[in-house]
Amino acid sequence: MEDKLNTLKSKLKQVHDINAASAVLGWDQQVNMPPGGAAARAEQLATLNKLAHEIFADDAIGLLLEDLAGAGFDYDSDEASLIRVARRDYDLARKLPPELVVDMSRTFSLGQQIWTKARADKDFAQFENVLTKIIDLNIQKAEAYGYEDCIYDALLNEYEPDMKTAEVNRVFGELRATLAPLVQAIASAGEPVDDSCLKQDFDEQAQWDFGMQVLKDIGFDLERGRQDKSVHPFTTSFSMNDVRITTRIYKDMFNTALFGTLHEGGHALYEQNVSSTLEGTLLAGGASLGVHESQSRLWENVLGRSRPFWDFYYARLQDHFPAQLSSVSVDTFYRAINRVERSFIRVEADEVTYNLHIFLRFELEQALVEQRLKVRDLPAAWNAKMEELLGLTPPDNALGVLQDIHWSIGVIGYFPTYSLGTVLSLQFYQQLLDDVPDLPEQFARGEFGALLDWFKEKIHRHGRKYTANELVERVTGATRIEAEPYLAYIRQKFSEIYRF
Ligand code: ZN
């Protein structure tokens, strides 16, 4: 049995190494690559993905997994978890024809390049053909995977294992029932918040330096990671000892760089703190995208947009920007970074309206893969939904349907995990506050170690061993994702800020 397990591990290690090499190419594509490199890069990635799929979906791995199924390892052991998660990944990989894997890889890489230009030109027509192909490939993939209730389940399952569209609808229904009236109440009854202090001339290098300091303070290990700049901030890792994040800096808007850094920093802390016993295996990484997002949203919002955090950092920030902020009080600044505003861009959205942007994408994605909506009609459908949910019509497609990278890289079924993660962040945080009640006082002293240690122990170290639902139960005792802790947090925080 020992021999078979070692053979399995060494085959999976090959796949892991090829995928890590693909990740380096993907990182480079977004951070450094000139546009002329797009065609060759798409071929390189297609070749690596084909190779990884060939090794992984091979009969030999299936036979090893069958032999090891009865090995009797304890459910929580690294061995049983590896076999269990490998089985899940393997069953999915086996369902995909190799030609489809290659076609998807090539198309999704090219799609990104086409979208980048279409977005810059605010011209959906440039993107329409490749997006039509991307939707079609996703439909083919979902059909290959198979599903019981609806086609979207097959896509969602890739990012949030075992999550069903119906379950997402339950959680989103609860969110919508509270958030829509709350946005109204803030607009009609709230004391207006002035955020002009954030829209001054903020030196780019000073923004970068402040962000790097915060990143170090929250526990990001610069010996095992680095930050760069890219058009669209993201996190990727080539190993738990080499975790990459990116940010973007706008001179005239303070929020973008720092909260982007905190967001990606939250993802990176998760990746850096998986147990070293899982390094190089397919268990290195996050449990699901929702659980991953629970970390990024927690560090970005629950910590980074909290009053105690700024009680510690505000004087330091003023030192970086004396001309801009010396006459602005911490109270004014705190209210400004939490200003609620119906706006066009998801990643810039405040905590209250953010989920409305996700509902829009979730509904449109389902309509596309169920073929109720044609790609040609997508911009109009986007604008109509935007009007329905946020009361706004984008003036151009760059501020509308072209704003996010996800669809261009073939990712359909991913967006709901942002809201699920947001909800999870508070479900976990509520438990954390029960365990460490003086946590906000620690933040106000600039101490973030207890926060990180708790998450390392409860979530990070396990890597992919458990599903999101298993983690929720282990960490909080609840048997499913619950929206209420998040809604209670939002109601309290924003009724204070808006004074109603
Ligand atoms: Zn994220």
Side-chain angles (χ1 to χ4, degrees):
M1 221 35 107
E2 184 85 23
D3 282 357
K4 289 192 168 154
L5 186 60
N6 286 333
T7 309
L8 177 70
K9 282 180 178 171
S10 84
K11 283 181 180 292
L12 294 178
K13 179 71 168 47
Q14 288 183 331
V15 178
H16 178 88
D17 288 346
I18 294 168
N19 288 339
S22 294
V24 178
L25 293 185
W27 172 85
D28 176 74
Q29 180 167 1
Q30 291 197 51
V31 174
N32 294 315
M33 193 185 79
R41 183 58 48 89
E43 292 306 312
Q44 292 152 5
L45 284 166
T47 298
L48 286 179
N49 287 331
K50 178 166 178 273
L51 193 58
H53 185 257
E54 273 169 12
I55 298 170
F56 185 52
D58 186 53
D59 292 345
I61 289 196
L63 293 171
L64 285 166
L65 287 170
E66 262 165 47
D67 289 343
L68 287 162
F73 294 111
D74 177 51
Y75 187 89
D76 292 328
S77 67
D78 290 354
E79 291 81 6
S81 301
L82 182 76
I83 294 164
R84 186 170 67 240
V85 175
R87 177 93 243 173
R88 190 175 76 205
D89 289 357
Y90 179 77
D91 288 344
L92 287 176
R94 287 282 283 193
K95 289 176 179 171
L96 295 183
E99 319 79 71
L100 181 60
V101 171
V102 171
D103 204 3
M104 286 196 295
S105 177
R106 187 180 289 129
T107 306
F108 299 165
S109 181
L110 288 172
Q112 181 185 334
Q113 228 56 40
I114 294 168
W115 164 80
T116 303
K117 182 166 183 308
R119 180 171 169 274
D121 294 346
K122 305 176 182 176
D123 180 14
F124 185 78
Q126 292 178 33
F127 186 48
E128 187 184 317
N129 279 348
V130 75
L131 183 58
T132 303
K133 180 157 189 208
I134 285 166
I135 300 296
D136 180 56
L137 288 169
N138 267 277
I139 292 169
Q140 288 181 47
K141 180 173 72 167
E143 295 296 345
Y145 283 154
Y147 49 87
E148 285 169 15
D149 302 335
C150 61
I151 186 169
Y152 196 79
D153 280 348
L155 300 172
L156 179 63
N157 180 59
E158 235 182 310
Y159 309 109
E160 203 59 40
D162 298 338
M163 177 63 64
K164 290 285 201 294
T165 309
E167 179 70 354
V168 175
N169 276 321
R170 173 185 68 80
V171 177
F172 283 13
E174 287 178 41
L175 294 182
R176 211 164 164 163
T178 295
L179 294 176
L182 184 63
V183 174
Q184 284 295 343
I186 286 169
S188 59
E191 192 175 302
V193 167
D194 175 8
D195 67 351
S196 57
C197 65
L198 304 173
K199 296 170 179 169
Q200 306 182 65
D201 189 4
F202 290 99
D203 179 71
E204 290 187 31
Q205 187 61 42
Q207 287 198 61
W208 174 268
D209 293 344
F210 184 74
M212 287 302 292
Q213 184 59 52
V214 172
L215 203 51
K216 276 184 235 169
D217 294 346
I218 63 171
F220 182 78
D221 183 351
L222 284 160
E223 290 294 316
R224 301 192 296 127
R226 58 177 278 140
Q227 177 173 252
D228 289 272
K229 292 180 200 167
S230 70
V231 180
H232 306 280
F234 67 100
T235 301
T236 187
S237 67
F238 317 140
S239 149
M240 64 180 64
N241 298 313
D242 188 355
V243 179
R244 306 297 180 94
I245 66 171
T246 67
T247 192
R248 60 180 161 189
I249 302 177
Y250 295 144
K251 235 171 136 45
D252 56 355
M253 181 57 195
F254 173 78
N255 282 359
T256 307
L258 179 69
F259 293 109
T261 291
L262 276 166
H263 181 100
E264 303 307 331
H267 283 303
L269 290 173
Y270 192 176
E271 293 285 326
Q272 285 189 333
N273 289 302
V274 173
S275 165
S276 61
T277 60
L278 304 178
E279 166 68 348
T281 76
L282 54 65
L283 298 178
S288 72
L289 288 178
V291 177
H292 232 301
E293 198 67 8
S294 78
Q295 301 305 290
S296 57
R297 302 284 290 168
L298 187 122
W299 259 264
E300 175 193 359
N301 292 324
V302 182
L303 175 66
R305 285 189 163 89
S306 74
R307 183 59 195 252
F309 183 85
W310 288 105
D311 284 339
F312 175 74
Y313 273 116
Y314 192 59
R316 288 160 176 81
L317 183 67
Q318 285 175 314
D319 285 345
H320 280 75
F321 300 104
Q324 292 81 358
L325 297 176
S326 59
S327 62
V328 177
S329 72
V330 62
D331 192 48
T332 300
F333 178 81
Y334 169 68
R335 294 185 81 217
I337 58 168
N338 283 296
R339 180 166 185 239
V340 176
E341 185 185 18
R342 297 181 178 100
S343 62
F344 297 115
I345 301 292
R346 173 185 64 87
V347 295
E348 309 285 352
D350 57 82
E351 288 179 87
V352 182
T353 59
Y354 182 85
N355 293 297
L356 306 178
H357 293 265
I358 299 302
F359 304 159
L360 174 148
R361 289 153 179 78
F362 175 54
E363 289 176 30
L364 292 180
E365 286 186 336
Q366 290 177 75
L368 286 166
V369 297
E370 288 170 8
Q371 302 180 66
R372 290 182 278 114
L373 174 64
K374 288 193 166 45
V375 168
R376 190 184 324 123
D377 301 325
L378 181 60
W382 179 288
N383 291 353
K385 269 277 164 242
M386 198 70 195
E387 188 60 49
E388 177 195 323
L389 286 162
L390 285 139
L392 295 171
T393 299
D396 62 57
N397 286 326
L399 288 170
V401 67
L402 288 173
Q403 67 180 268
D404 288 314
I405 193 171
H406 303 64
W407 293 341
S408 80
I409 55 171
V411 171
I412 312 280
Y414 182 133
F415 279 118
T417 69
Y418 287 121
S419 287
L420 295 173
T422 301
V423 165
L424 276 173
S425 70
L426 267 300
Q427 205 171 350
F428 292 142
Y429 189 71
Q430 189 184 48
Q431 183 63 45
L432 168 57
L433 277 182
D434 283 350
D435 295 350
V436 189
D438 74 333
L439 206 61
E441 290 83 50
Q442 296 186 26
F443 296 164
R445 295 193 298 268
E447 295 166 11
F448 310 112
L451 171 69
L452 181 56
D453 286 345
W454 192 89
F455 275 107
K456 276 190 203 172
E457 167 65 21
K458 302 283 183 183
I459 291 179
H460 298 172
R461 68 187 174 97
H462 298 306
R464 292 182 71 205
K465 285 171 73 167
Y466 303 111
T467 64
N469 276 332
E470 284 174 324
L471 281 175
V472 166
E473 185 154 10
R474 287 175 64 98
V475 175
T476 72
T479 52
R480 60 181 194 177
I481 296 179
E482 297 289 357
E484 189 45 38
Y486 166 73
L487 291 172
Y489 156 85
I490 288 288
R491 278 190 293 259
Q492 194 196 347
K493 176 172 178 178
F494 288 91
S495 61
E496 274 171 28
I497 287 170
Y498 277 88
R499 299 167 181 158
F500 62 82

